Amino acid sequence: MEIFNLTIAELSEKISSREISPIEVTEIFLEQINGLNPILNAFITVASERACSEAQRAEDELALGNYRGPLHGIPIGVKDIIDSEGILTTHGSSFYSNNVPSADAECVRRLQGAGAIMIGKCNTAEFAAESCTKNPHYGVCRNPWDTSRVPSGSSGGSGAAVAAKMVPGALGTDTGGSVRGPAAICGTVGLKPTYGRVSVRGVFPNATSLDHVGPITRTVRDNAILLQGIAGFDCADPFCLDLPVPDFSAKLDMGIKGTKLAVCPDLVDVEIDKPIVDAFAKAVEVFRDLGATIDTIPCSFAAEINPHRRAIADAEFFSVHCDRYGENSSGFGKRLQDRLENARSTTLRMYIKALERRKSLRRLMVDLLHGYSALLTPGYPCLAAPINTEMASVNGKEVDFVGLGRNLLGLQNFVGFPGLTMPTGYDPVFGLPMSLQITTLPGEEAEAFRIGHAYEEATPDLRFRECLIDKSLVKK
């Protein structure tokens, strides 16, 4: 089997046994990136020199018997709003076109400590602020399943790179679905962890009380491995929480017989395209067949969530950018200018009210899920939209793709609960990925992985379809 087809877990086994070397693995993924990036534009910067240096270090350590664990020698892509020492980090913005950080973000530092290799900086929406990854400064990122369509965003480069096997795993960020959206649209597995589980020090802020760093991989097991490498308390990050860090892979093979799962239609605050609804219904039946009990539950406070989430997101986002916007609004792309103008209308009173109400709503969400291991929802409302129109089709209606997923995915950011997105199949007309989301109580990522892995093992036909990229699209 080609090395680039191997998962993180499979690569790890071969590296630890010395069947393949970190140098060989890194060279092959650099070849993949060099061959496919001219088509997909999934990377803004390819860090070839740093990657090769880190691969050599990983190989030297193996020769001395120093094996750091399952990420040792594994190339990882990093979203380009996450700092990397000595490597251009643009934040997807014209303002940072020459920005070369002097230190790694804490999550990158932890990856390096786990033996992983930082191979490049993945394309992102401008300042990670919209969901197409149609960057006005560094170019559009394309979906590997159909290069005329978007990969979602804002971690679109990370999602596309993993789907196209340019890397076995990548880091994204998620403020309103920006890890889970690309995972859903690109047919990969994406996790927004518990708020504060992963340090955001060295990550450009979007909305600080909603921001998360999360892994994108091809399998649930790989996602657990990658989270293990970046999770943990960072006393220098005021937003990081001192949470116990369990073995996220420990429950993977326990199955879900007797597990109680919930479905709550009240929390689906957006219309969902019928093929996605149908695929979700089939997935629910798979969970039942595996021995889970699934209850449909009501939520009396559902209508409050998204208005308060939007107030917090807009106020905090405008706070980050207001000075820069006032000094040089033309440095922002048109989409971001529009968003900032809209965010400007959020008053201090609206923001404080939303913060106060969030405390109560978070407690109510804990009560709602009491006795259940997870909440199941569709993973995204629609299929990938065409790049040229940015308009999605939902049950025959044309709707703006940008922001469409936030009313479905923003709940988890608002209350800080983990959300794991994974594939449920492919649309019968276009062959594009569809997905579901597994939401657990705070700190219970291992439960999400257990449930997701059981579904993954029961649906192997969803794991082997390839996105066939037309290499004739490479500009000569």
Side-chain angles (χ1 to χ4, degrees):
M1 179 179 283
E2 295 275 10
I3 283 178
F4 59 78
N5 285 321
L6 299 177
T7 65
I8 290 175
E10 291 165 340
L11 286 166
S12 174
E13 186 175 325
K14 291 183 181 296
I15 288 171
S16 64
S17 68
R18 307 301 301 275
E19 185 178 339
I20 56 177
S21 75
I23 295 171
E24 179 184 5
V25 170
T26 300
E27 287 174 348
I28 284 172
F29 279 104
L30 284 171
E31 287 177 11
Q32 279 286 95
I33 293 170
N34 290 337
L36 294 177
N37 206 52
I39 303 169
L40 300 176
N41 196 28
F43 285 85
I44 292 177
T45 301
V46 182
S48 302
E49 187 174 333
R50 172 167 169 167
C52 290
S53 174
E54 291 182 357
Q56 183 65 62
R57 180 205 66 200
E59 177 62 23
D60 292 344
E61 288 180 338
L62 283 174
L64 295 172
N66 181 15
Y67 176 64
R68 293 176 179 264
L71 287 172
H72 192 119
I74 305 294
I76 300 295
V78 175
K79 185 176 180 178
D80 203 32
I81 69 163
I82 301 173
D83 282 353
S84 49
E85 181 181 356
I87 304 299
L88 179 67
T89 301
T90 70
H91 309 310
S93 165
S94 66
F95 295 100
Y96 289 89
S97 60
N98 297 309
N99 176 51
V100 179
S102 58
D104 286 331
E106 176 64 10
C107 57
V108 175
R109 190 193 69 78
R110 286 176 185 259
L111 278 182
Q112 191 167 47
I117 293 162
M118 206 290 292
I119 203 168
K121 307 307 291 292
C122 297
N123 201 347
T124 173
E126 183 181 15
F127 283 125
E130 57 89 1
S131 49
C132 278
T133 318
K134 193 174 177 179
N135 192 296
H137 312 294
Y138 304 100
V140 63
C141 181
R142 297 180 180 273
N143 191 314
W145 293 93
D146 180 345
T147 54
S148 72
R149 295 176 183 260
V150 302
S152 190
S154 60
S155 308
S158 299
V162 173
K165 301 179 181 178
M166 301 164 81
V167 281
L171 297 187
T173 63
D174 194 312
T175 306
S178 286
V179 162
R180 292 160 292 151
I185 291 296
C186 294
T188 57
V189 178
L191 175 77
K192 183 210 78 65
T194 302
Y195 182 77
R197 165 73 79 191
V198 179
S199 174
V200 294
R201 181 160 58 96
V203 179
F204 196 91
N206 188 308
T208 52
S209 72
L210 304 172
D211 289 346
H212 303 69
V213 172
I216 298 177
T217 57
R218 298 208 317 271
T219 69
V220 172
R221 185 179 297 277
D222 283 2
N223 213 273
I225 291 171
L226 192 44
L227 178 63
Q228 200 77 51
I230 60 174
F233 181 55
D234 174 12
C235 63
D237 174 12
F239 307 106
C240 200
L241 301 181
D242 192 2
L243 301 172
V245 180
D247 179 349
F248 294 114
S249 301
K251 297 182 177 182
L252 283 178
D253 298 311
M254 291 175 61
I256 60 169
K257 187 175 181 179
T259 300
K260 290 187 67 177
L261 304 175
V263 173
C264 183
D266 293 340
L267 290 171
V268 179
D269 189 22
V270 64
E271 186 177 357
I272 311 289
D273 201 30
K274 187 177 185 301
I276 296 171
V277 173
D278 292 344
F280 177 72
K282 289 181 181 178
V284 169
E285 291 307 309
V286 171
F287 287 117
R288 282 200 177 97
D289 291 343
L290 291 169
T293 299
I294 301 176
D295 296 334
T296 299
I297 59 174
C299 180
S300 61
F301 54 89
E304 292 189 69
I305 292 169
N306 277 310
H308 289 314
R309 177 193 59 77
R310 283 192 292 271
I312 293 171
D314 285 349
E316 292 181 355
F317 183 75
F318 191 74
S319 175
V320 170
H321 294 287
C322 59
D323 291 344
R324 186 180 294 108
Y325 183 62
E327 294 168 1
N328 183 10
S329 61
S330 63
F332 294 86
K334 181 62 167 61
R335 276 281 193 187
L336 217 53
Q337 290 179 37
D338 292 344
R339 181 172 175 188
L340 284 162
E341 284 299 326
N342 181 66
R344 190 199 293 271
S345 64
T346 303
T347 65
L348 182 60
R349 182 177 181 181
M350 291 165 62
Y351 177 59
I352 292 173
K353 180 181 178 182
L355 291 178
E356 291 173 345
R357 185 58 179 151
R358 177 168 61 178
K359 295 177 182 178
S360 298
L361 293 174
R362 185 184 286 131
R363 287 196 294 267
L364 290 172
M365 274 299 299
V366 171
D367 292 342
L368 184 72
L369 294 186
H370 179 73
Y372 294 99
S373 291
L375 170 74
L376 304 177
T377 54
Y380 213 76
C382 61
L383 304 176
I387 290 168
N388 60 345
T389 67
E390 301 178 30
M391 299 297 288
S393 176
V394 179
N395 298 322
K397 298 185 286 289
E398 294 291 300
V399 293
D400 191 349
F401 184 87
V402 174
L404 189 62
R406 290 186 196 130
N407 279 15
L408 185 61
L409 304 178
L411 161 68
Q412 291 74 15
N413 299 88
F414 181 69
V415 295
F417 290 17
L420 179 72
T421 297
M422 57 186 301
T424 54
Y426 305 90
D427 171 78
V429 176
F430 300 103
L432 296 171
M434 303 180 293
S435 66
L436 65 82
Q437 181 176 207
I438 301 166
T439 301
T440 64
L441 290 169
E444 296 295 332
E445 289 91 348
E447 274 292 276
F449 290 141
R450 175 176 72 91
I451 295 162
H453 180 69
Y455 175 74
E456 199 173 62
E457 290 290 289
T459 55
D461 53 307
L462 302 183
R463 312 297 144 224
F464 300 111
R465 190 177 297 197
E466 296 284 337
C467 44
L468 301 175
I469 302 164
D470 184 359
K471 292 191 177 183
S472 69
L473 294 171
V474 178
K475 294 179 181 179
K476 304 298 184 184

